[in-house]
Amino acid sequence: MEASEILKQFNDVWQLRHEYAKDWKKRTGGKVIGGMCTYVPEELLYAANILPVRILGGHEPPTLATPHMFDMWCPFSRDCLSQGLKGKYNDYLDGLIESNACLHMRQAFGAWEIHVPTPWFYWFVMPNAVRSPRAKTFLRGELAAFKEALEKLTGKTITDEDIDSGIDILNTNRRLMKQVYEFRKQDNPPITGTEAMTMVWASQLMDKREHNELLRQLLEELPDRKLDRETGVRLMIIGSEDDDREFLEMVESIGATFVIDDHCTGSRYFWDEVVPEKDRLQAIANHYCDRVPCPNKDWGMEDCSRKRFPHILQLARDFRVQGAILTQQKFCDPHELDIPSLTRYLEDNDIPCYFLEFEVTVPVGQFRVRVEAFIEQILAEELFV
Amino acid sequence: MVEAKKVEFWRWPETSWVNPDIDWKKGKFITAGIDVGSVSSQAVVMVDGELYAYSNTRTGYDSPESAWKCLNMALEKSDLTADNLDYCIGTGYGRVNVPMAQRAITEIACHARGANFMYGPEVRTVMDMGGQDCKAIRCDNRGAVMKFMMNDKCAAGTGRGMEVFADLIGVPVWEIGERSFQIEKEPPMISSTCAVFAKTEVVGLLQEGVPENDIIAAYCSAMAHRICELLNRLGIEEKFVITGGIAKNIGVVKRLEKEMGVTTVELTWYAPKMRDKGLPFETQIAGGIGAAVFGAAMLERGKAKSARKA
Amino acid sequence: MIVAGIDVGGKNVHIVIARNGDIMAKAGAPSGINKAEAVEQLYDETLKKAGLKREDVSQVVATGSSGQRVAFAGGVIPDAAADARGVIRLIPSARTIIDVGAEEGRAIKISPEGKVLDFAINEKCAAGTGTFVDTMARALEIPIEEMSKISLQSTKSIPMNAQCAIFGESEVVSLIHQKTSRQDIARAVHDAIAGRVGSVARIVGIENDIVMIGGVARNDGFVESLKRELEMDIRVPENPDFVGALGAAAAAAAGITGEKVEARVVEKETIEEGTT
Amino acid sequence: MAKYKTKGLDCWQRAKELRAKYYKDYAEAHDRGALRWEGGAWMFDAVPQSLEGEIHVLTEEPYGAAVGADPKLQVRYQEAAEGKWGCARDLCAYLRNYWGSIVLNEYAFGGEWPKADFIFQNHICCSHAKWLQVADEIEGGDVPFFCFDVGVGAYDKIEDRQIRYVVDQIHDGIEFLEKHTGRKFSDEKLIQNVHNTYDSACYWAKTCELNMAVPAPLDEKTMFSLYVLGCLEKSNPDFAHFYKYELYPEVQDRVANQIAAVANEQCRVITDTQPPWGFLRVYRYLEQYGIIAVANLYTNSLIGWWTHDDKGDLVPWPTLAEQGITIKDRDHALWLLAEAELKGKSQWAQFYGAKYKNHFVTKIAKQWKCDAAIIHLNRGCEGTAQHQMETKIALQNMGLPVLTFEGNMADEREFDETRTYRLIDLFVRETLGLQKVAD
C-alpha cells in the first residue's frame, strides 16, 4: 500500500472514530472503553481484550456542555462532554475511565457519569508525585485493583501472558511510531507534521495490532516517499492535546513543517516504553511514573526542577527545530502554569517561541497572520540580507 | 451601509499626498506597499526608497477593490500609474487579495520595518494599534522582528473599540485626544474590558451626567492600560514608537507614556523633511512604507525582478 | 383602572398603556443617551395616542436595564419578571422564555402562573446579544432586516467562532475575503449567536412552549437558527419587543410595583476574609 | 420588631488578633532566628512545625485571599504576575496574587516579600505543587522544595494502601526537612501538633454542626473569618485552643439562648465555594431580606473533618480523646493525620466526581434545613468550583430554588457587582417571593 494511502487510513479512523469502534466490536466481540487522558494503563486493557479509545472533541461549539460546565472550563473538556451528551458514544461505549486527570477533564467525567448512559465507570488513581519512588509502589497496588476490576467486568482472568502481550502490543506501537518520527529528522521529511500527528491520533482510537500492521507497511514506504512541497521552517509544536488538523494544515501550507511535537496526542503519548521485568504490574507502574510527565505531575523532589523541559529541548535539538509554537487550550491550568517558564527556558536556549491560545474552533484567519509573522521572524535573514 | 445616513464620527478622514520634489521618471526602482487592513487601507509608493506618494482610505467590502481604491487615490495627483510599478508588496489583513502585488508580507514585519524607516534605527519596540488587533513588536536596528505579541480573543482596546466609542458619544475620533485633557481631574478608567460592555458602561456614565470629556478621558486611559498590559508581557525597550491610527490620539499616547514611564520617540530625520513639505504626518502608513521598503531592497539585492509593464 | 408599563432597555424604550388588561396605546423609540428624556417624550406621545393625561394613569411600573430612569414610575420590577408576566399573558402555555436584547441574552423558566422559577443570562461576553448582530450587519454592509432575509436563503452552515463582537467582525471580513456568499455569512452569524443563546437556554432546562421575545425575535433568520440549534419549535408573539412593557403594565394592574432601587449596602463591621 | 435577639461574637476580636500575629510572626521570623516556610492551606503543617526551635509558616491560599479582599492591591499584584511574569489571566486568582506579590517584592502586610527557607507542600488540585514551584522560580529557584501527593481517591475508597502511600511520602519529607534545615525533627512536638490539628479540625466541624439550629447562631460571612485560622496553621496551640475552648463553647451558648446571627432569619441558604472576597457586603444585602447563609461544603470542610453516622448523616469526625487513642510513635502520628485528612475532609471528595460533591451538598442542604441555594460560579478557583453546575441541578432536583452568579473570589475584574445585585433582586423577589424585612 502507498504511504499516502496508509496515512489516509489513519485520517479516516480519526474522522470516523465511532464507525471504526462499532465495526471493531462487531468483528471481535470485544468491549470498547474510553479514556479521558493518556495515563490510562492501556496495557491491561489490551490484556483483557478491550479496545481503549481516547475521548476527543468534535471541534464544534460545545453548546450542550454549558448547563454542566460553565465557561471557565477548558474548551476541549467541554467539547468532549458535549460529544458524549450528543450521544455519539451511546451505542457502543462499554465504559469510561478517569485516570486522575486535570480538573477540567474531571468535570467532564463527573457530568458524563450522571448524564451520559454508560454501563461502566472507573476512577483510576494515577498518582501525581510521579518522581517520588513511593508513587511506583502505590501505582502497582492501583494497577492490581484495576486488573481485578477488569476481570470482574469481562468475567475472564488476566494471566501474566495476557499482560505480556498487552505490554508487547503497546511497546511495539511505541517503537514503530518512534521509527516513523525518526524520518522527520531528515532535511526534507517524507511525512508532514499533520500526517505524523494524525497517525498518533489514530493509534489512540484504533486497535493497535492493526495500527502496528499499517505502521510496518508505512515504514517500508517512507524511505522512497518524496513530498511535492517545500519543508520551509522546521517547527516544533508544544501543548496539551491537539487534534486540530485544520490548524496544522494551515501552518504547513505557509512555508513551515512541524518536525516534532510535545503533545499528549503526540510524542508524549508514546515516547517511552515499558521496561519488562518479572513483576509485570511493577513494570507498567514504573513506565507511567517514568514517562515524560504531564505538566500537572512534573515537579522535583528537592527543588523546583521539571523533567519535561530538558526532554523538550533535547527533542528540539535532535529534530533541528528553528522555532516552537506553544499552544494552549484556553483555561488549561496545567500548561498555563508551565508556559511562562518553558518560554523562558527555550528562548534562553535560542529557540524562538510563539504562543497561541486554542478554542474549540480556531480562528484560522487570526492565527495565520500570527504564524506567518513568526515564520518571517525566523527567516528574517531572507528579508534583510 | 448601516450608518450611511448618520455622520460617521468613527472614521478618520481619508488622506493622500504626493511628493512634489520627486520626478518619478528619473527613479530606478518604483515600489509600492499596499496595506489592506480590516478597517483602513493605505498605499505607499516609493521611488528609490524615497517616499513619493501615499493614501489612507477606508477598507471596503471587497479587498481587491480596496487595494485598487487606495493605490489610485495615492496616484490621483500624479501621472504615475500602476503599470509603472517595478514591484508591489501587499500587507495587512487582505494581503493575499492585493491584485497588483507580486508578494505578500505580514503587517507585523512591515510595521517593524516601516517604523525603523520612519523613526530611525534606534527603535526597539513598536506598538501598532490596528483596527482589530494590537501588536507589540520588538525589533533590531534593521527593523527585523525579534519577538512580537498580539492581543488574543478579546478585542478590548483596539482601534475598532475606539471607533465604536467615538460613534457612541458622537465625538469625531480625531478630536478625542484633545478633548480627553479638557478635564479637571483624571477620572477612574472605564472598567469593562469588553468593547460592547464598555459601551453600556459609557451610556451609564452619560446618564449620570458625567461630563463628556471625563468619559473620553476614562476611555482613553482604559485603552492605554490595555496596551500597557500587552507591552508589559513583551517587555518594553526604548526607543519606543507607536504606529497606526491610535498614534494620532494623544489622549491614549500620553496616558500610555505615563503608565509605562516611557516617551514615544519623536520623528527623527524624516519629520522636518515632511513638515517642510506641509505633509500631515500619517502614522497609519507605517505598514505600507515597510512593504515598499522591502520591495526596494529586494530589487536592489536582485532578490526580485522588476514587474514593470510600462 | 388605567396603568402603564415602561421598558427602558440598552437601546430602546417601549411603553404600553392598558385599561383593564386591554392595550389602549403602545409606542417604542430609541432610548439614546439621555434615557430619562427619551422616556418623558415617548410617554407623552403614548398618552396622546390613548387620548389620556398623566393623571388618568393610576399606576406606572418600569422595567428594563435602565428602569430606574423612569422618575415618575411607582416602582421598578426586574426585567425577567416583566418578561414572565408579559409572556404568560400572551401565551399561557409558555414555560421557557428566551429574550435577546441589545446587550443581553437571557432564558427564563416560568411556572403556569408566570412565576420565575429559574433564569440564566449570558455572562461577560457580548456574543449572544443583539449588538453582536448589529456589528456583523455593519461588517456585511447591509441592514439587519436584509441580513435576516438573506440568511434564510442560505443552505450551508459555516462554523463561526463567536467569541467577541469585534473579532466576529474580522471573521466576517475574512469570510468575505474567502468569497463566501453574504447569505451564508449571514446564516453563519445567526448560527453562532444561536449557539450562545441556545446554551444559555439549556441552563434553565428547556420546556415547551418556548417563546422568544426581545428585539432580536424580529429577526426571522435568527429565530430559524435558534430552532435548528434547539431542535424545537419556538413561538414568537407579535410585537415581541413590547412584551417587557406589557408585563410591567400587567404588574401595575396587579398592584405589584416592586420597589425603587435605593442604596443597597448596609456595612457592618468589615471582616477579614481568609482562605483557600 | 426583630424575630430573634442577636449580638456579635465575644471571641471575634481574639480571632482577629491571632490572625494578625500570625502574619507578623512570619515577617519577623528571621529577626528572631526562626525558620520560615511556605505551604498550602491544606498542608499537614503539623509536620514541618515539629522541627526543633521556632518556626513559622505562610500558607498560600489565605494570603492570596487576604490580597483579594483589597481590590486595589489585588489588581496591582495580578497585573504584575500577568505582565511581568507572563502568566495567564485565568489561572487561580490567589496564585496570581501570590506570584505578583513576589514579583513586586512586596508583602501585603507591610515590608518586602519575606522569602522562605523551604517549601513544604501537598498536591491535590492542579495548581498546588506548581504554585510554589513557580514561586520558587520567581524567587531565584534556590528555595528547597518538597511536595507530596494526597490525590489518592475519594474518602470511601481509602484503604491502608492509600494512607501508607501518603505517610511514606511524609517520612521522606521529614528527611528532606532535617537535611535542608539542619534542625532535628522532634517526635514529641509532632505528637502534640497532631493533637492540636485534631482539635482544630474536629471542633470546627462541631461548631458548624451547631449551625443546624434555627435560628442559626452563625452566618457564613462571620464563619469565613473564623475558619481561616485553621487554614493558616491547624497545629498551632493557640488556634486549637481557640476552636476548642473559645469559639465552640460560645456558639453552644448562643444556640442554648436562641441568639441569632441574623435577627430576622426567614430564609436559610446553602452556598458553594468562596465568595468574591472584595464584596462580602453582598451577604449584608441578603440579610435585609432575612436571608442567611448557614452552610457550605467549603466552609464546613475546608478545615473541618466529617464522617457519616449509621443513618448516613454527616457528623463531625471524632477527636482523638473521643476515640480513646494515644499516639504511639512518629508513624502512628502521621498515620492518624493522613487517615483523618483523606477520609474526613469532605471538601476533597469533589475531586473524584460530581456524584461525590452532590452527595455531600444535598445532605448539607437537608441537615442544615436550607430553603434555597446561592452558588457563586467561581472563576478564581478550579478546585472549589468543581461540578458547580451539577450541584445546581442536584439541589434543584431536591426542590430548592437556586441562584447562580459568575464571579471570582479574588479578581474583581471578573465580578460585576451591579449585575449581581440585579440577579439577586430577581431571585429574591420573584423566585423566593421575599420582601425586605425591617431591621
Side-chain angles (χ1 to χ4, degrees):
Chain A
M1 209 174 356
E2 278 242 334
S4 316
E5 180 44 39
I6 300 164
L7 294 163
K8 185 178 168 306
Q9 287 198 27
F10 290 149
N11 191 29
D12 293 345
V13 171
W14 172 67
Q15 297 268 357
L16 309 170
R17 63 197 76 155
H18 305 296
E19 290 69 13
Y20 174 88
K22 286 175 216 166
D23 173 68
W24 183 89
K25 279 185 83 160
K26 247 201 255 88
R27 285 188 281 127
T28 67
K31 285 189 175 343
V32 179
I33 289 186
M36 295 189 123
C37 156
T38 53
Y39 277 101
V40 173
E42 297 180 315
E43 289 82 355
L44 289 184
L45 291 162
Y46 273 93
N49 188 34
I50 290 168
L51 173 66
V53 294
R54 172 101 184 251
I55 304 294
L56 292 171
H59 297 287
E60 41 199 5
T63 52
L64 292 187
T66 312
H68 309 283
M69 298 169 76
F70 68 105
D71 281 0
M72 84 168 192
W73 302 101
C74 98
F76 174 69
S77 61
R78 303 171 82 230
D79 194 1
C80 288
L81 173 61
S82 209
Q83 297 301 306
L85 293 165
K86 280 201 170 98
K88 297 268 177 80
Y89 291 90
N90 284 6
D91 39 15
Y92 73 90
L93 200 69
D94 298 296
L96 187 66
I97 300 172
E98 220 308 336
S99 48
N100 246 13
C102 65
L103 299 188
H104 299 264
M105 293 315 289
R106 294 184 190 203
Q107 288 267 299
F109 180 86
W112 190 303
E113 245 187 320
I114 296 174
H115 304 284
V116 184
T118 311
W120 186 78
F121 290 98
Y122 191 87
W123 192 288
F124 178 77
V125 183
M126 175 65 207
N128 292 306
V130 290
R131 287 166 69 179
S132 158
R134 310 292 188 176
K136 292 180 174 170
T137 321
F138 172 73
L139 182 52
R140 196 211 172 281
E142 198 57 32
L143 286 165
F146 184 55
K147 175 166 163 289
E148 243 175 73
L150 290 175
E151 286 170 333
K152 228 167 109 241
L153 175 71
T154 58
K156 155 180 177 305
T157 45
I158 299 172
T159 66
D160 281 356
E161 292 61 40
D162 296 329
I163 302 180
D164 289 339
S165 88
I167 293 176
D168 178 60
I169 292 166
L170 266 288
N171 275 354
T172 309
N173 193 242
R174 290 165 177 141
R175 193 156 48 244
L176 294 175
M177 286 200 283
K178 215 166 165 179
Q179 285 169 21
V180 172
Y181 265 46
E182 274 300 304
F183 283 88
R184 302 170 74 185
K185 288 180 176 170
Q186 298 180 5
D187 291 345
N188 292 306
I191 179 169
T192 67
T194 313
E195 291 168 335
M197 290 193 58
T198 310
M199 163 190 82
V200 184
W201 307 337
S203 87
Q204 299 189 346
L205 296 165
M206 72 189 288
D207 188 325
K208 288 183 163 48
R209 284 158 291 209
E210 297 169 19
H211 195 255
N212 288 340
E213 202 26 64
L214 290 168
L215 289 173
R216 287 199 187 83
Q217 298 180 35
L218 181 63
L219 285 163
E220 285 169 20
E221 295 297 323
L222 282 180
D224 318 316
R225 188 175 189 227
K226 293 269 165 294
L227 289 179
D228 173 24
R229 67 186 286 279
E230 288 287 314
T231 299
V233 175
R234 302 174 69 87
L235 293 177
M236 177 173 197
I237 182 165
I238 300 171
S240 58
E241 77 78 45
D242 175 18
D243 68 337
D244 209 310
R245 197 171 158 114
E246 194 189 356
F247 172 76
L248 299 172
E249 279 170 341
M250 182 273 286
V251 174
E252 296 196 310
S253 74
I254 56 175
T257 301
F258 288 115
V259 293
I260 184 63
D261 69 80
D262 176 61
H263 272 302
C264 62
T265 43
S267 71
R268 205 158 63 234
Y269 170 62
F270 67 81
W271 210 249
D272 309 293
E273 292 181 30
V274 173
V275 184
E277 60 176 80
K278 181 139 188 359
D279 180 341
R280 276 92 171 161
L281 294 183
Q282 192 58 62
I284 297 173
N286 297 346
H287 164 73
Y288 284 96
C289 289
D290 292 338
R291 63 161 264 196
V292 186
C294 164
N296 202 11
K297 305 183 186 313
D298 192 6
W299 69 78
M301 282 296 108
E302 283 191 88
D303 56 36
C304 60
S305 69
R306 290 183 188 74
K307 182 176 173 180
R308 184 169 146 259
F309 287 9
H311 165 74
I312 291 175
L313 184 59
Q314 196 52 52
L315 288 180
R317 297 234 161 102
D318 295 348
F319 289 79
R320 296 177 292 135
V321 310
Q322 296 166 270
I325 292 183
L326 280 68
T327 69
Q328 175 222 307
Q329 292 287 336
K330 193 174 192 185
F331 304 124
C332 171
D333 313 78
H335 285 267
E336 284 176 345
L337 288 156
D338 268 8
I339 281 170
S341 315
L342 180 57
T343 312
R344 286 175 171 80
Y345 178 79
L346 290 175
E347 284 176 348
D348 292 348
N349 286 281
D350 306 315
I351 296 170
C353 296
Y354 194 72
F355 170 80
L356 287 173
E357 182 182 80
F358 273 55
E359 284 276 348
V360 172
T361 55
V362 288
V364 175
Q366 280 174 49
F367 279 7
R368 181 179 167 153
V369 65
R370 288 161 165 77
V371 176
E372 262 186 66
F374 183 52
I375 292 171
E376 287 169 348
Q377 174 190 333
I378 293 168
L379 292 178
E381 301 321 306
E382 187 259 344
L383 283 172
F384 286 87
V385 181
Chain B
M1 78 182 264
V2 195
E3 295 81 352
K5 293 144 236 78
K6 5 186 204 104
V7 197
E8 291 170 331
F9 295 107
W10 46 273
R11 283 192 177 214
W12 284 100
E14 301 191 327
T15 55
S16 74
W17 174 81
V18 174
N19 187 334
D21 319 345
I22 293 180
D23 174 2
W24 65 269
K25 299 192 184 61
K26 296 209 181 73
K28 199 146 116 280
F29 299 126
I30 301 170
T31 57
I34 298 180
D35 181 347
V36 180
S38 54
V39 175
S40 65
S41 302
Q42 297 82 25
V44 170
V45 178
M46 288 189 151
V47 175
D48 301 334
E50 271 282 314
L51 184 61
Y52 172 68
Y54 79 74
S55 71
N56 178 22
T57 67
R58 196 83 192 165
T59 304
Y61 175 87
D62 174 80
S63 23
E65 239 168 66
S66 310
W68 276 118
K69 182 176 151 216
C70 67
L71 179 60
N72 294 336
M73 187 167 165
L75 300 175
E76 220 164 32
K77 305 185 204 68
S78 160
D79 52 351
L80 176 75
T81 72
D83 293 346
N84 308 124
L85 299 177
D86 288 293
Y87 202 72
C88 176
I89 291 176
T91 183
Y93 203 90
R95 64 191 172 286
V96 287
N97 292 302
V98 178
M100 65 294 277
Q102 282 75 37
R103 167 168 186 175
I105 298 178
T106 65
E107 51 269 44
I108 291 91
C110 290
H111 270 278
R113 186 67 189 86
N116 174 280
F117 180 88
M118 292 160 74
Y119 300 86
E122 306 80 14
V123 171
R124 286 294 167 277
T125 312
V126 181
M127 179 73 227
D128 172 58
M129 283 290 305
Q132 278 161 341
D133 48 38
C134 126
K135 323 167 189 69
I137 310 166
R138 190 85 74 61
C139 56
D140 67 11
N141 58 353
R142 303 168 302 172
V145 176
M146 308 305 291
K147 188 179 173 63
F148 70 97
M149 283 188 182
M150 288 168 83
N151 59 325
D152 268 311
K153 296 288 172 297
C154 174
T158 61
R160 193 73 186 81
M162 179 57 84
E163 293 178 346
V164 173
F165 173 73
D167 205 28
L168 173 76
I169 54 167
V171 172
V173 73
W174 53 91
E175 284 178 21
I176 296 269
E178 294 295 342
R179 301 265 308 256
S180 77
F181 292 113
Q182 298 162 14
I183 52 171
E184 299 194 340
K185 62 181 264 292
E186 192 69 21
M189 69 177 78
I190 299 282
S191 63
S192 178
T193 54
C194 168
V196 174
F197 285 146
K199 189 169 157 183
T200 321
E201 201 173 331
V202 168
V203 172
L205 292 171
L206 287 166
Q207 285 172 10
E208 286 155 31
V210 178
E212 236 175 41
N213 292 348
D214 286 54
I215 297 174
I216 294 174
Y219 193 83
C220 287
S221 40
M223 177 163 295
H225 185 66
R226 305 261 163 279
I227 304 171
C228 292
E229 287 176 347
L230 192 66
L231 284 167
N232 276 325
R233 281 175 172 276
L234 181 82
I236 194 165
E237 207 181 287
E238 306 208 66
K239 293 176 172 178
F240 170 68
V241 300
I242 302 178
T243 60
I246 297 297
K248 293 186 266 183
N249 182 331
I250 58 162
V252 175
V253 175
K254 292 275 167 265
R255 288 180 173 83
L256 184 147
E257 290 180 331
K258 189 156 172 289
E259 185 173 344
M260 293 299 298
V262 297
T263 47
T264 52
V265 179
E266 259 312 303
L267 285 166
T268 54
W269 62 273
Y270 205 62
K273 245 184 176 178
M274 302 178 101
R275 256 190 254 103
D276 305 344
K277 303 189 183 103
L279 170 68
F281 184 67
E282 184 49 80
T283 52
Q284 278 176 278
I285 61 173
I289 287 184
V293 172
F294 276 133
M298 289 162 112
L299 290 169
E300 269 163 30
R301 285 190 258 106
K303 280 202 164 199
K305 57 177 182 22
S306 169
R308 190 192 285 237
K309 296 201 189 69
Chain C
M1 167 165 97
I2 299 175
V3 295
I6 302 182
D7 178 0
V8 193
K11 212 168 140 206
N12 298 300
V13 186
H14 292 96
I15 300 183
V16 166
I17 297 180
R19 177 195 284 121
N20 312 328
D22 306 322
I23 298 179
M24 299 172 71
K26 61 174 170 36
S31 52
I33 299 299
N34 189 337
K35 292 187 156 54
E37 200 178 279
V39 169
E40 295 285 346
Q41 267 187 18
L42 191 67
Y43 187 47
D44 291 334
E45 280 174 37
T46 329
L47 286 164
K48 185 122 51 49
K49 274 198 201 166
L52 297 167
K53 293 186 298 316
R54 289 203 177 202
E55 50 272 32
D56 302 332
V57 181
S58 41
Q59 186 55 274
V60 180
V61 169
T63 187
S65 54
S66 302
Q68 314 90 313
R69 303 278 155 198
V70 187
F72 55 88
V76 184
I77 63 168
D79 33 28
D83 289 351
R85 289 194 166 78
V87 167
I88 207 72
R89 207 167 150 283
L90 296 168
I91 306 173
S93 58
R95 293 297 172 269
T96 310
I97 302 172
I98 295 172
D99 178 347
V100 183
E103 280 145 10
E104 192 166 277
R106 57 171 168 265
I108 309 155
K109 182 183 209 148
I110 58 170
S111 73
E113 301 71 39
K115 184 178 179 220
V116 176
L117 299 176
D118 194 9
F119 53 89
I121 298 178
N122 73 305
E123 296 270 355
K124 303 269 176 296
C125 189
T129 66
T131 308
F132 190 87
V133 191
D134 300 353
T135 324
M136 299 309 128
R138 174 192 203 145
L140 274 171
E141 298 181 353
I142 53 173
I144 315 243
E145 304 68 30
E146 178 68 9
M147 182 159 141
S148 165
K149 210 175 319 101
I150 63 172
S151 70
L152 292 166
Q153 298 155 8
S154 161
T155 51
K156 198 144 115 269
S157 86
I158 307 161
M160 182 174 155
N161 183 327
Q163 283 307 310
C164 159
I166 303 283
F167 279 153
E169 205 178 358
S170 61
E171 209 159 327
V172 166
V173 175
S174 63
L175 285 171
I176 293 168
H177 288 161
Q178 295 157 29
K179 302 267 174 287
T180 317
S181 77
R182 290 186 187 213
Q183 284 82 347
D184 294 345
I185 298 176
R187 172 172 166 176
V189 169
H190 290 148
D191 287 352
I193 305 160
R196 300 286 290 207
V197 173
S199 47
V200 171
R202 288 193 180 91
I203 293 174
V204 302
I206 301 156
E207 234 179 82
N208 277 322
D209 290 351
I210 308 167
V211 175
M212 180 169 175
I213 58 172
V216 179
R218 287 189 180 283
N219 180 335
D220 303 340
F222 174 79
V223 176
E224 269 314 303
S225 294
L226 190 57
K227 284 181 186 169
R228 265 198 305 275
E229 168 68 31
L230 298 178
E231 293 165 334
M232 281 170 126
D233 191 39
I234 295 171
R235 298 178 60 180
V236 179
E238 57 178 306
N239 305 318
D241 37 5
F242 276 92
V243 175
L246 187 66
I256 299 143
T257 59
E259 47 183 275
K260 281 283 191 182
V261 179
E262 75 288 326
R264 285 200 148 90
V265 178
V266 206
E267 252 317 340
K268 290 194 188 166
E269 84 284 3
T270 54
I271 306 201
E272 281 90 14
E273 68 312 324
T275 190
T276 281
Chain D
M1 177 55 209
K3 215 158 143 197
Y4 308 102
K5 49 183 180 315
T6 180
K7 70 182 181 80
L9 275 175
D10 301 341
C11 65
W12 180 257
Q13 222 26 50
R14 172 80 174 139
K16 286 177 118 178
E17 288 158 13
L18 288 171
R19 177 175 175 274
K21 181 174 184 301
Y22 170 92
Y23 284 112
K24 192 159 168 297
D25 283 344
Y26 185 77
E28 295 168 352
H30 281 183
D31 316 344
R32 305 206 290 267
L35 282 176
R36 275 199 303 235
W37 64 280
E38 297 166 283
W42 282 339
M43 241 316 291
F44 299 13
D45 53 84
V47 178
Q49 289 302 109
S50 301
L51 282 168
E52 284 179 348
E54 186 181 351
I55 177 164
H56 296 283
V57 55
L58 179 70
T59 51
E60 64 207 11
E61 298 94 334
Y63 182 83
V67 173
D70 175 349
K72 273 206 167 40
L73 192 62
Q74 167 251 114
V75 170
R76 207 159 57 75
Y77 283 8
Q78 287 175 350
E79 287 182 347
E82 294 152 15
K84 301 222 159 38
W85 178 249
C87 72
R89 182 173 171 160
D90 46 75
L91 276 172
C92 165
Y94 291 167
L95 170 152
R96 284 177 289 133
N97 285 340
Y98 198 88
W99 289 356
S101 194
I102 301 173
V103 168
L104 296 172
N105 187 29
E106 222 178 275
Y107 188 50
F109 299 90
E112 294 195 340
W113 174 255
K115 191 174 173 182
D117 301 303
F118 65 88
I119 291 165
F120 201 86
Q121 173 69 305
N122 63 0
H123 184 84
I124 188 162
C125 101
C126 294
S127 302
H128 279 134
K130 313 296 285 185
W131 178 329
L132 294 179
Q133 177 183 49
V134 174
D136 193 345
E137 280 180 304
I138 302 176
E139 287 180 312
D142 55 358
V143 183
F145 174 100
F146 180 83
C147 178
F148 63 97
D149 178 13
V150 291
V152 295
Y155 71 99
D156 62 342
K157 301 277 193 306
I158 299 300
E159 297 158 6
D160 291 0
R161 184 165 64 81
Q162 285 85 350
I163 300 172
R164 178 46 63 193
Y165 168 49
V166 172
V167 170
D168 286 350
Q169 291 179 79
I170 302 177
H171 279 298
D172 298 343
I174 292 172
E175 273 179 39
F176 162 93
L177 288 170
E178 289 183 321
K179 174 179 167 193
H180 288 279
T181 64
R183 289 200 187 176
K184 260 193 61 41
F185 187 86
S186 151
D187 288 340
E188 302 79 82
K189 243 180 144 181
L190 175 67
I191 289 169
Q192 187 48 52
N193 284 339
V194 171
H195 272 283
N196 297 344
T197 304
Y198 261 76
D199 284 345
S200 298
C202 300
Y203 277 91
W204 174 256
K206 292 175 189 292
T207 307
C208 294
E209 188 184 32
L210 292 171
N211 227 36
M212 291 180 186
V214 181
L218 297 172
D219 67 306
E220 190 176 34
K221 184 170 181 284
T222 308
M223 295 168 86
F224 286 144
S225 353
L226 298 173
Y227 70 59
V228 64
L229 298 175
C231 298
L232 299 176
E233 192 185 338
K234 282 178 270 316
S235 66
N236 181 310
D238 297 344
F239 296 0
H241 184 277
F242 174 81
Y243 285 119
K244 186 175 181 181
Y245 296 110
E246 297 169 66
L247 176 61
Y248 181 62
E250 186 182 349
V251 177
Q252 274 182 313
D253 175 73
R254 286 172 75 97
V255 173
N257 298 293
Q258 287 252 309
I259 297 168
V262 171
N264 292 301
E265 169 174 325
Q266 63 170 337
C267 176
R268 299 163 63 92
V269 303
I270 176 172
T271 63
D272 194 47
T273 77
Q274 308 91 313
W277 291 119
F279 304 88
L280 288 175
R281 49 183 178 265
V282 169
Y283 283 83
R284 292 298 176 219
Y285 182 63
L286 290 166
E287 285 176 12
Q288 301 172 57
Y289 291 92
I291 297 173
I292 173 172
V294 292
N296 175 343
L297 173 60
Y298 161 85
T299 312
N300 285 16
S301 60
L302 185 67
I303 66 165
W305 293 336
W306 299 83
T307 181
H308 297 77
D309 66 12
D310 37 27
K311 298 198 311 300
D313 284 346
L314 296 175
V315 290
W317 188 269
T319 62
L320 289 174
E322 286 162 344
Q323 297 180 60
I325 293 175
T326 35
I327 305 177
K328 296 195 287 299
D329 53 17
R330 178 186 295 187
D331 190 71
H332 187 214
L334 298 178
W335 186 279
L336 289 166
L337 205 52
E339 180 178 36
E341 290 281 7
L342 296 177
K343 293 183 180 171
K345 199 191 279 302
S346 356
Q347 175 84 38
W348 282 357
Q350 68 194 24
F351 288 113
Y352 307 99
K355 286 187 165 171
Y356 282 108
K357 184 169 187 180
N358 291 350
H359 165 84
F360 282 104
V361 170
T362 50
K363 275 195 180 301
I364 291 172
K366 197 167 132 291
Q367 290 180 248
W368 273 258
K369 310 177 187 71
C370 298
D371 310 297
I374 297 181
I375 298 178
H376 167 223
L377 300 174
N378 185 359
R379 288 177 158 260
C381 176
E382 283 80 9
T384 59
Q386 284 283 300
H387 311 297
Q388 289 193 290
M389 295 303 275
E390 290 305 325
T391 306
K392 176 195 185 208
I393 297 169
L395 289 166
Q396 279 176 330
N397 292 343
M398 281 177 77
L400 258 62
V402 183
L403 167 72
T404 61
F405 65 95
E406 269 192 39
N408 188 310
M409 61 191 180
D411 186 343
E412 60 118 30
R413 297 169 300 179
E414 288 199 308
F415 179 70
D416 182 336
E417 189 174 16
T418 327
R419 177 196 193 86
T420 306
Y421 284 129
R422 252 184 77 208
L423 296 177
I424 291 176
D425 284 340
L426 175 59
F427 180 69
V428 171
R429 295 205 216 128
E430 298 299 319
T431 309
L432 300 180
L434 295 175
Q435 295 300 326
K436 284 197 176 156
V437 283
D439 250 332

